[in-house]
Amino acid sequence: MNQHERIKAEDRPPADADMPVAAAAVTDRVWNTLLAARKTGAARPSPGWTTAESAAWKLYAPLLGRDDRPLVFAQIGQSLDGRVATVDGDAADVSGAEGLMHLHRCRALADCVIVGANTAIQDNPRLTVRLVKGDNPARVVIDPRGRLSEDAALLTGAGCLVVQACEQKRPAGVETIKVASSAEGLDAVSIVAGLIERGFRRIMIEGGGKTIGRFMDADLVDRLHVGISPLIIGAGPSGLTTNPVSLLAQAKRPRARVYGLGSDIIIDCDLKG
Ligand SMILES: NC(=O)c1ccc[n+]([C@@H]2O[C@H](COP(=O)([O-])OP(=O)(O)OC[C@H]3O[C@@H](n4cnc5c(N)ncnc54)[C@H](OP(=O)(O)O)[C@@H]3O)[C@@H](O)[C@H]2O)c1
């Protein structure tokens, strides 16, 4: 592709002119309405809400999906230089206080939350909802080669699934989904199909960047939330690791809206729009 074939500015998808950056206020009445809508599908925003409350609804309501098809969404919290942790594995406070609440809200709206083996091993997360009101989602870890220790926090209690290619035995109560491995890794389409078969309709991918990238490269992610927090880490794992392009003209340019949440911004990308 030569210079003349590069994408022209006017051919790029337009930014949403009506709301370039919107401060979002997730008040109790907004959050309770979202939780009710998650359960019944009938709850709606009230005309009396403030502009910031309406913005919060617009940020989260797409994660509720539609009755007639499952929804796959991903969320990642990163620094100004696109890192999600330090090289030594410190990832606890990349996001600010509101960014962390955003993560917990995403979990509360999901039926299940997926993490990759590196995240499960390095962070030992519980993937529960603790910072906001809401139910815990089921926890899913993709551990193709059985690297995760059986005393990992994720593998305790009900509602845990491991996606694997090996014959590794898991602790009692943990369900395994066997997916064949190829040179490209585990087939992301089969992983999503296995979760849908088990009744999960809202599937969240929490990270890290490699795992989100696998689902994005398979064109399976409907919605992507990238949280950016004003800190600079210098080095460390990247937010998203997808197939690279050689020219910017080939880059994905999703339709996006930007929301302010405390010190962080959330870029809400509609990858299927
Ligand atoms: N700030 C945030 O929002 C956030 C969120 C989550 C994680 N993190 C950070 O991200 C870092 C880890 O991220 P990461 O990108 O290095 O790794 P990762 O995505 O957590 O895990 C990648 C690993 O998961 C397995 N895997 C996932 N999908 C697969 C597929 N389709 N096929 C085959 N294998 C698959 C592979 O395991 P094998 O190598 O065993 O085959 C792969 O190497 C940690 O430092 C963590 O703290 C940050």
Side-chain angles (χ1 to χ4, degrees):
M1 188 173 286
N2 62 36
Q3 183 69 29
H4 301 292
E5 291 169 300
R6 288 175 193 272
I7 195 163
K8 287 185 288 185
E10 62 268 27
D11 291 336
R12 292 178 184 166
D16 272 322
D18 60 326
M19 197 169 63
V21 179
V26 194
T27 55
D28 285 349
R29 60 183 176 177
V30 173
W31 186 238
N32 287 333
T33 309
L34 282 159
L35 289 178
R38 183 190 186 285
K39 289 230 155 62
T40 67
R44 289 284 172 272
S46 151
W49 285 3
T50 64
T51 306
E53 287 178 315
S54 299
W57 174 270
K58 285 186 179 162
L59 171 60
Y60 292 104
L63 304 186
L64 298 171
R66 298 186 337 211
D67 287 344
D68 57 343
R69 65 181 288 270
L71 179 90
V72 178
F73 66 94
Q75 114 83 39
I76 193 95
Q78 65 182 45
S79 62
L80 290 174
D81 51 341
R83 310 288 172 184
V84 294
T86 69
V87 281
D88 294 322
D90 185 4
D93 290 322
V94 170
S95 300
E98 269 285 340
L100 281 174
M101 287 176 75
H102 173 71
L103 168 64
H104 282 239
R105 285 185 201 113
C106 290
R107 286 180 185 166
L109 296 178
D111 297 333
C112 68
V113 176
I114 303 175
V115 290
N118 291 351
T119 297
I121 292 165
Q122 289 166 30
D123 297 357
N124 198 21
R126 286 176 281 168
L127 303 182
T128 52
V129 176
R130 303 181 298 279
L131 301 180
V132 299
K133 189 163 90 177
D135 296 333
N136 292 331
R139 308 165 317 273
V140 181
V141 57
I142 304 177
D143 181 24
R145 298 178 282 153
R147 289 195 291 134
L148 187 61
S149 149
E150 66 172 36
D151 59 5
L154 267 180
L155 302 184
T156 51
C160 177
L161 298 93
V162 181
V163 179
Q164 61 186 48
C166 61
E167 297 299 333
Q168 176 85 25
K169 287 263 178 297
R170 305 291 178 172
V174 173
E175 186 178 353
T176 55
I177 303 178
K178 189 93 182 280
V179 174
S181 183
S182 71
E184 284 78 46
L186 306 192
D187 177 35
V189 173
S190 304
I191 298 173
V192 169
L195 294 172
I196 291 171
E197 243 169 54
R198 285 160 177 81
F200 300 114
R201 308 283 302 164
R202 298 180 189 106
I203 299 170
M204 171 179 166
I205 311 161
E206 181 163 322
K210 288 181 187 148
T211 298
I212 294 176
R214 300 271 194 157
F215 288 94
M216 284 180 64
D217 288 338
D219 202 20
L220 288 167
V221 182
D222 298 292
R223 209 93 194 177
L224 169 70
H225 282 188
V226 178
I228 301 179
S229 191
L231 82 165
I232 296 169
I233 300 177
S238 302
L240 293 173
T241 310
T242 58
N243 288 334
V245 296
S246 64
L247 289 174
L248 294 178
Q250 299 158 334
K252 283 197 172 69
R253 293 175 189 274
R255 201 172 181 91
R257 284 177 179 234
V258 186
Y259 296 87
L261 271 183
S263 65
D264 296 5
I265 60 165
I266 308 292
I267 305 181
D268 168 26
C269 305
D270 181 356
L271 298 183
K272 297 285 175 69

